[in-house]
Every structure is written in structure tokens, then in C-alpha cells.
Amino acid sequence: MRLLLVEDNARLASLIREGLDRQGFAVDWCETVDAPSMRSGSMIMT
């Protein structure tokens, strides 16, 4: 499963991505909701 992580703290995002990666998730990360990946219609899960 692919997830989109929106987190403005790079260190925290890195730790979250590492944990999710170990659980088998593919994680895309952006710092804000204005990032290009958000405009492309990616699904956001909270």
C-alpha cells in the first residue's frame, strides 16, 4: 500500500517513513499540502 505523509518537520517525517517502510508500506512525503504531489490527485489518509 502506498501512503502520502504530509509533515513539515523533516526529522519526524523521516522517523515515520522509516517505521512505515519497515512495515511494508511505500511512503511519499511532502512538507505542505501545497506540494505538487497533493495537486496531482493523490489520496490522503488520516
Side-chain angles (χ1 to χ4, degrees), residues 2-18 20 26-33 35 37-38 42-45:
R2 185 173 236 30
L3 302 174
L4 176 61
L5 172 63
V6 180
E7 173 57 58
D8 63 351
N9 182 308
R11 177 71 180 137
L12 180 57
S14 177
L15 292 171
I16 293 170
R17 287 180 74 185
E18 288 172 16
L20 289 170
V27 181
D28 294 318
W29 169 63
C30 63
E31 293 182 86
T32 68
V33 295
S37 62
M38 296 294 291
S42 297
M43 179 183 288
I44 303 170
M45 299 181 73

